[in-house]
Amino acid sequence: MKHVLCITTYPPRVCGIATFSYDLIQAINKKFTKDYTVRVCAVESDIEKHSYDATVKYILNTSEQEDFDVVSKKINQDTDIDLICIQHEFGLYSENQELFLKFVQTITKPIVIVFHTVLSHPEAYSREYLRDIIEACQSVVVMTHASSAILQNEYQIDKDKINIIPHGTHLVSQIDKEKLKKTYGFSGRKILSTFGLLSPGKSIETTLDAMPAIIEENPAILFLIIGETHPMVVKKYGEAYRESLEAKVKELHLGDNVKFINEYLDINTLLEYLQMTDIYLFTSSDPNQAVSGTFVYALSCGCPIIATPIPHASELLSDNTGVIFNFHDSVQLAKSTNSLLKDEELRIQMRISGLQKTAFTAWQNTAIAYTLLFEKIIGSNDILTYSLPEIKLDHIVSMSQHLGIIQFSKGNQPDLESGYTLDDNARALIALCMADKQEEHPKYGMYMKRYLEFIQYCLQDDGTLKNYVDMYYNFTPQNDEVLLEDSNGRAIWALGYFICNAHTLYEFEIKEAKKTLRLTFPALRKMQSPRSIAFAIKGLCLYFMKEPSREVYDFIHLLADKLSGLYLSASDNNWKWFEPYLTYENALLPESLLYAYSVMKNDGYKSIAKESFEFLLEKTFMNGRIKVISNINWLNRGEANTEYGEQPVDVAGTVIALSAFYNIFHDKEYIQKQKDAFSWFMGNNHLHQIIYNPATGGCYDGLEENNINLNQGAESTVCYLMARLSLINP
């Protein structure tokens, strides 16, 4: 366990850096429970003191000169602390700047300093002061490329010392905008909003001056000003700024079109306000503001944004993500707002672009980035343990409508027009049967019955099954254009799994599954595809374990011999595989022979299973990480696994197979590899980004070279759940 001390403001203090630090610390502590704990040295002053929870270990009062020396000595003598992370904003240390510099220089622990503001065109003193601080630190974190460029070009800081880690954002389970408006009493209105602790720097008056022109074209418009006045502003000036805004609302007759939400909202309520916002307005008047948490929170909620040109906005609002307008220019703001309100298609494009750009800034990903930096600074060679999220079936339940589970989604919203597939419903039957086994009182019977009925619906008179069904329950032309053997094999696997593992509470459904499985027997002898054969072997073995018969035994023997024959034909001393290439769901092939061995005790099946599985693991594991075969280009004999394009189904298949191999061979290396493989979903991949979304319970559809496919379809989500429930020591 490594210990980090974060020197920062911290709740219950109400300020942006305190909120940032709380979210970051929570994310690291939750993401790496077994590896890291982060505590706090709370920064306060004589006019801003608080009582804290147990996260706060030390307090630094920046108004008291002796405190800097006292606290630095405590930190240096604290043998538990491995690293210091300082959250820096100039105003926090303005009372005793030189003492803060000495404080940093005196600390003997490695230091990572995070600059929330980087001043451009600094005076000579300010430049040297910041350079001295940075020299005393091992690494610097900024949140934008612009800030990095300023440090390099104007402060002459070595590029290698600078790390760009974006401001974190909260994952959002998208809720229908109109439903939210109805809930909050804003039905029928277009909503503009801004949020944050109110202060003159927000320049809210810029929007109020623009409102008459906006109302002229959009009479039902509503501008929400969300947030209480900044506590420090209240202490110095009272509510003078808010009162001036209220006076302007009255003067311009905006009472029906402007609403103040004078509260510090909890995060869930705030995110709902942002999700029902049609356009978010960011009107900061400070050109030196490097980054804004309010801005990125709005972007991550899918808000089209109109913003002043602070560096953060200029970087993120390119490529039709938003609109930039000049500081204090109410006329330009009104024109931009009216134009964007007219263009729904552009707002939709901006929403999609914003969600794509901020996906990598989820707090879970930010936690990974900081932790990897800490590991580098500390010099650790340990393999990080990614904590497991709770099991959550919300997205699967949301996707399970009418006939079965919907094939695709747009974001986390089911795409009804994509229809249904046998593949997805077969997997869903297995996944929910697995989840049901873990419940003291089984509760997923309604959904399992639906998936089972879908399989029966797809069954044809000759024992084969159709795969594609549209939203109107019609079989689509795809069924005549695509080879369906794999889908048939998956259905047999699902039926066998259900028969073997379903709770006795589902006696009728188990009988139906047995009938359906037996009706597929006429098609078994015709199977040629290696994966369809492998799926069928798994399903038949599971059925045999529950209800042994000579007929089923013979089918297992027939199919296992076919698969073994493919291996003997294609393999050689350097290529121990069933085909001259590695393609998709590869782990299934050796796993199925292990199933056949468990029924027939044929050592030949066991030997091929072990040999081919070890070969696959060599091709897909390196340095504590899995990299499955690309779905863009298969891996041919003699090639290296370098292509990108990884699918959750392939990772999940490996996780599931590793359980089967551990159960037979009891090799603890399989447990470690299973942890490494599953951590791919948690962020242990080449982009260091989460693939599983804990906010929705959904799984993203793919990992590409430079981005993630943010749609959360049935295949990805169900495969994630199957993998999660297959872990040997969760």
Side-chain angles (χ1 to χ4, degrees):
M1 178 71 75
K2 292 140 191 162
H3 294 76
V4 174
L5 184 72
C6 190
I7 301 175
T8 178
T9 57
Y10 199 71
R13 180 164 176 171
V14 178
C15 77
I17 291 181
T19 302
F20 173 93
S21 297
Y22 175 83
D23 288 333
L24 176 61
I25 290 167
Q26 288 289 106
I28 294 173
N29 285 341
K30 190 172 183 179
K31 191 76 182 171
F32 299 103
T33 304
K34 295 182 179 179
D35 296 313
Y36 273 84
T37 184
V38 185
R39 300 285 296 279
V40 170
C41 173
V43 175
E44 58 181 30
S45 66
D46 283 346
I47 62 172
E48 186 85 16
K49 291 188 175 184
H50 300 279
S51 296
Y52 303 97
D53 64 24
T55 307
V56 173
K57 191 173 188 178
Y58 301 116
I59 295 174
L60 173 64
N61 184 341
T62 58
S63 301
E64 299 291 336
Q65 295 186 6
E66 62 271 19
D67 242 30
F68 288 93
D69 184 51
V70 170
V71 173
S72 67
K73 285 180 180 177
K74 287 181 178 178
I75 290 172
N76 288 337
Q77 293 169 4
D78 191 333
T79 56
D80 284 340
I81 297 174
D82 297 294
L83 181 140
I84 306 296
C85 181
I86 300 175
Q87 303 294 332
H88 183 275
E89 184 65 70
F90 290 97
L92 295 180
Y93 310 102
S94 57
E95 287 185 272
N96 287 292
Q97 284 188 326
E98 290 301 322
L99 286 174
F100 173 70
L101 171 59
K102 183 181 177 184
F103 171 79
V104 176
Q105 292 172 329
T106 304
I107 292 174
T108 57
K109 312 281 185 178
I111 301 173
V112 172
I113 191 162
V114 183
F115 287 114
H116 289 254
T117 297
V118 179
L119 299 175
S120 60
H121 313 300
E123 298 290 337
Y125 168 78
S126 297
R127 180 186 297 108
E128 290 309 309
Y129 175 77
L130 202 68
R131 282 177 54 82
D132 288 342
I133 289 176
I134 292 172
E135 187 176 349
C137 301
Q138 277 62 48
S139 186
V140 176
V141 173
V142 292
M143 301 181 200
T144 67
H145 292 277
S147 294
S148 175
I150 291 170
L151 284 180
Q152 292 175 64
N153 299 331
E154 301 189 33
Y155 293 83
Q156 288 75 54
I157 304 301
D158 188 341
K159 180 181 179 181
D160 292 339
K161 198 169 188 176
I162 302 170
N163 301 271
I164 302 171
I165 303 179
H167 192 298
T169 56
H170 292 277
L171 289 169
V172 174
S173 180
Q174 295 292 331
I175 305 172
D176 181 76
K177 189 186 295 287
E178 299 309 317
K179 286 183 180 178
L180 281 172
K181 288 182 181 180
K182 183 177 181 180
T183 299
Y184 284 89
F186 302 141
S187 293
R189 308 195 73 168
K190 293 293 184 186
I191 293 178
L192 311 176
S193 76
T194 192
F195 88 92
L197 295 170
L198 212 58
S199 67
K202 299 285 186 182
S203 194
I204 305 298
E205 60 272 20
T206 301
T207 302
L208 296 182
D209 287 333
M211 284 299 291
I214 296 171
I215 294 168
E216 187 175 345
E217 293 190 24
N218 300 274
I221 200 75
L222 179 63
F223 176 41
L224 301 178
I225 302 170
I226 305 167
E228 63 184 17
T229 306
H230 197 294
M232 296 303 293
V233 173
V234 172
K235 286 182 179 180
K236 288 185 178 181
Y237 308 107
E239 289 286 3
Y241 181 61
R242 182 179 294 275
E243 289 166 359
S244 73
L245 296 177
E246 291 171 343
K248 183 177 281 287
V249 168
K250 188 174 181 179
E251 175 192 342
L252 297 174
H253 308 291
L254 303 176
D256 292 335
N257 300 92
V258 176
K259 183 177 178 63
F260 290 86
I261 312 294
N262 188 9
E263 300 176 57
Y264 190 78
L265 299 177
D266 67 84
I267 188 63
N268 291 328
T269 304
L270 173 61
L271 295 176
E272 287 188 349
Y273 270 103
L274 291 175
Q275 285 186 80
M276 67 178 155
T277 294
D278 293 286
I279 300 175
Y280 184 81
L281 302 179
F282 181 82
T283 55
S284 170
S285 59
D286 181 6
N288 289 317
Q289 184 175 356
V291 68
S292 166
T294 66
F295 174 84
V296 291
Y297 279 21
L299 204 60
S300 70
C301 285
C303 295
I305 296 179
I306 300 176
T308 47
I310 69 164
H312 203 191
S314 297
E315 281 188 19
L316 285 176
L317 296 189
S318 58
D319 306 322
N320 277 340
T321 308
V323 177
I324 298 291
F325 78 103
N326 297 324
F327 294 107
H328 305 293
D329 193 335
S330 297
V331 174
Q332 188 184 11
L333 175 58
K335 288 180 179 178
S336 297
T337 302
N338 283 332
S339 176
L340 193 50
L341 284 170
K342 289 177 185 175
D343 196 337
E344 183 177 1
E345 185 176 333
L346 179 56
R347 295 202 309 275
I348 291 171
Q349 289 176 5
M350 287 181 173
R351 174 182 178 277
I352 294 170
S353 179
L355 291 173
Q356 184 70 58
K357 284 188 176 183
T358 56
F360 70 97
T361 68
W363 278 115
Q364 290 83 352
N365 293 331
T366 302
I368 293 170
Y370 272 95
T371 304
L372 291 175
L373 175 59
F374 296 163
E375 288 281 284
K376 178 182 175 183
I377 299 302
I378 292 171
S380 171
N381 293 317
D382 297 339
I383 296 176
L384 290 170
T385 302
Y386 291 72
S387 301
L388 297 177
E390 64 177 336
I391 295 169
K392 186 173 183 178
L393 273 67
D394 297 34
H395 187 53
I396 290 178
V397 169
S398 172
M399 293 282 286
S400 298
Q401 302 185 17
H402 309 300
L403 193 62
I405 192 166
I406 301 294
Q407 183 179 9
F408 297 139
S409 70
K410 295 178 179 178
N412 70 308
Q413 297 301 306
D415 181 7
L416 290 172
E417 293 185 357
S418 68
Y420 311 83
T421 68
L422 175 65
D423 286 330
D424 294 333
N425 282 274
R427 293 188 186 100
L429 179 60
I430 296 170
L432 265 68
C433 189
M434 294 172 76
D436 210 52
K437 286 173 64 178
Q438 300 200 2
E439 296 290 332
E440 185 176 349
H441 303 289
K443 59 185 180 183
Y444 300 114
M446 176 180 73
Y447 298 102
M448 289 189 289
K449 181 179 178 182
R450 190 177 301 175
Y451 307 142
L452 176 59
E453 288 175 348
F454 184 89
I455 295 173
Q456 292 174 314
Y457 183 75
C458 293
L459 184 65
Q460 305 299 298
D461 292 340
D462 63 354
T464 63
L465 299 100
K466 301 287 189 183
N467 187 42
Y468 300 99
V469 179
D470 67 21
M471 63 185 295
Y472 304 109
Y473 313 158
N474 300 311
F475 292 117
T476 73
Q478 279 179 285
N479 290 294
D480 300 318
E481 300 164 1
V482 179
L483 185 65
L484 302 181
E485 268 198 17
D486 287 5
S487 305
N488 283 235
R490 283 190 190 91
I492 292 169
W493 173 32
L495 293 167
Y497 188 92
F498 183 76
I499 293 165
C500 186
N501 293 284
H503 194 281
T504 53
L505 181 68
Y506 309 120
E507 182 180 358
F508 174 78
E509 286 76 17
I510 293 170
K511 287 180 179 178
E512 288 296 301
K514 289 178 181 178
K515 288 181 191 176
T516 307
L517 180 54
R518 296 190 70 83
L519 288 171
T520 67
F521 285 180
L524 287 175
R525 296 183 184 278
K526 300 175 184 177
M527 284 188 169
Q528 299 298 323
S529 160
R531 281 150 194 82
S532 63
I533 291 170
F535 281 127
I537 289 172
K538 286 180 66 174
L540 292 170
C541 287
L542 288 162
Y543 180 32
F544 184 87
M545 292 172 193
K546 190 72 172 181
E547 197 169 279
S549 73
R550 185 69 202 185
E551 182 182 24
V552 174
Y553 183 94
D554 288 342
F555 275 128
I556 295 170
H557 192 182
L558 171 72
L559 295 174
D561 277 354
K562 270 191 181 182
L563 195 56
S564 299
L566 291 173
Y567 179 82
L568 295 173
S569 297
S571 63
D572 58 31
N573 290 336
N574 298 314
W575 186 262
K576 301 182 183 302
W577 197 243
F578 302 82
E579 303 165 295
Y581 35 69
L582 288 165
T583 58
Y584 60 95
E585 294 194 75
N586 295 297
L588 165 70
L589 304 185
E591 182 199 13
S592 69
L593 285 182
L594 211 56
Y595 268 77
Y597 164 76
S598 67
V599 168
M600 304 181 67
K601 304 306 178 187
N602 182 319
D603 287 335
Y605 299 157
K606 182 181 181 183
S607 175
I608 292 173
K610 173 80 168 169
E611 192 172 73
S612 59
F613 194 54
E614 293 298 329
F615 174 79
L616 177 65
L617 297 180
E618 288 176 10
K619 294 293 184 182
T620 53
F621 279 84
M622 185 175 292
N623 300 324
R625 182 187 300 169
I626 191 173
K627 184 180 186 300
V628 292
I629 306 304
S630 167
N631 69 322
I632 299 171
N633 291 307
W634 304 137
L635 180 66
N636 293 305
R637 188 194 302 259
E639 294 178 347
N641 184 16
T642 58
E643 295 290 335
Y644 294 97
E646 299 173 63
Q647 301 291 298
V649 62
D650 294 300
V651 179
T654 306
V655 171
I656 293 167
L658 283 160
S659 285
F661 274 83
Y662 177 76
N663 290 336
I664 296 295
F665 294 101
H666 307 293
D667 184 346
K668 291 185 178 179
E669 181 65 22
Y670 289 138
I671 297 179
Q672 184 57 53
K673 277 193 160 48
Q674 188 183 58
K675 290 178 179 177
D676 295 341
F678 188 80
S679 68
W680 180 91
F681 291 102
M682 302 295 100
N684 186 20
N685 51 61
H686 74 273
L687 290 184
H688 304 298
Q689 293 186 35
I690 56 171
I691 310 299
Y692 171 70
N693 184 326
T696 65
C699 181
Y700 298 132
D701 278 350
L703 175 69
E704 309 301 334
E705 182 174 3
N706 300 306
N707 67 282
I708 288 171
N709 182 338
L710 297 181
N711 293 325
Q712 298 165 48
E715 176 182 287
S716 303
T717 299
V718 171
C719 285
Y720 164 81
L721 180 61
M722 292 166 67
R724 175 71 173 84
L725 295 170
S726 296
L727 294 176
I728 298 165
N729 294 318

